[in-house]
Amino acid sequence: MKISAIVLAGGKGSRMNSDIQKQYLPLCGKPVLYYALQAFQHSSVDEIILVVGNGMIENISEEEYCKKELIDKYYFNKVKHIIMGGSERYNSVMNGLKVIHNEMDYVLIHDGARPCITVELIERCIRDVIAYKACVAAVPVKDTIKVVDSKDYAVSTPDRSTLWQIQTPQCFEYNMILRAYYDMIADKEKSNITDDAMVVEKYSRNKVKMTHSNYKNIKITTPEDLQIAKAFLFQSI
């Protein structure tokens, strides 16, 4: 059994109000991206595919920066490829899927801007993807959710007990997710694809299992998230 991980690090991070892409911002003395790579390095995955953007950081390309300041510096020898992402998230995932060797049985897809991922959660996802073929890290929502109209008036209130907040890793049998992505790319009517689970839900017959995650597995999106992640990381030391 062979397992690959795609770590997506091509985001711009426009809501961070920073000239530096959010995945490279300092967090407890290391780039945000370091923590996701470290977790996968120490997990049972066999290889890591790192997908980066086409920007510059510290006057070098993102690809060069990642190789010098992350892969080589911290001996992340499971990173087998550093490749360029695409214009949309699903393009970046597709680029990653294409370079995975066809001997791989499963693939875990993770946002590099989620630094609080743990080896324990990765292993839990691996157990579930082997059992169910498709699973995503997720947690039940805590708050009441409102559906609103275009003028910001509440229209309805879904039953909170049926709602989950989706995270990453999102994990799939490799051949199944690859076929689903090819079908999605070929579909001229595709719209509003926001995560990999949606691709599987729409373009395959597989159901997606929720793998119980934890509320610390946040995504760095705004400046406040950096402070929250810092507190979580200090707790784990």
Side-chain angles (χ1 to χ4, degrees), residues 27-193:
L27 176 61
C28 298
K30 296 180 176 68
V32 166
L33 179 58
Y34 161 87
Y35 298 95
L37 293 176
Q38 180 194 46
F40 282 101
Q41 174 71 27
H42 292 292
S43 75
S44 60
V45 304
D46 296 285
E47 69 169 14
I48 302 168
I49 312 297
L50 179 58
V51 185
V52 301
N54 60 359
M56 303 287 289
I57 180 168
E58 297 182 1
N59 297 317
I60 59 175
S61 70
E62 291 185 46
E63 181 179 355
E64 292 175 283
Y65 175 86
C66 286
K67 187 175 189 313
K68 177 183 175 182
E69 297 297 330
L70 289 165
I71 312 309
D72 294 343
K73 185 174 182 178
Y74 297 106
Y75 307 103
F76 291 146
N77 62 351
K78 285 189 179 180
V79 178
K80 303 302 183 184
H81 301 280
I82 305 175
I83 64 170
M84 199 70 66
S87 57
E88 301 290 342
R89 184 186 188 279
Y90 61 79
N91 298 124
S92 296
V93 173
M94 188 64 181
N95 290 351
L97 291 171
K98 286 179 179 178
V99 301
I100 292 176
H101 196 278
N102 59 12
E103 69 179 9
M104 291 293 165
D105 299 292
Y106 302 97
V107 58
L108 281 61
I109 304 167
H110 185 66
D111 294 323
R114 289 187 188 269
C116 298
I117 180 71
T118 64
V119 174
E120 179 187 9
L121 176 56
I122 293 170
E123 299 302 330
R124 197 182 311 149
C125 286
I126 290 173
R127 288 194 296 270
D128 275 2
V129 75
I130 292 170
Y132 303 106
K133 296 186 179 181
C135 68
V136 297
V139 290
V141 299
K142 295 179 178 181
D143 301 319
T144 297
I145 304 297
K146 295 287 185 182
V147 177
V148 301
D149 63 18
S150 60
K151 296 183 179 180
D152 295 341
Y153 286 101
V155 174
S156 63
T157 305
D159 179 359
R160 186 171 62 185
S161 67
T162 67
L163 301 176
W164 286 61
Q165 179 181 333
I166 302 304
Q167 303 174 349
T168 64
Q170 301 198 4
C171 319
F172 309 95
E173 189 179 63
Y174 173 64
N175 288 327
M176 180 264 289
I177 187 67
L178 184 63
R179 287 194 301 269
Y181 257 91
Y182 272 120
D183 289 344
M184 184 270 293
I185 295 295
D187 184 3
K188 295 181 181 180
E189 302 298 322
K190 64 179 176 291
S191 62
N192 198 31
I193 300 293

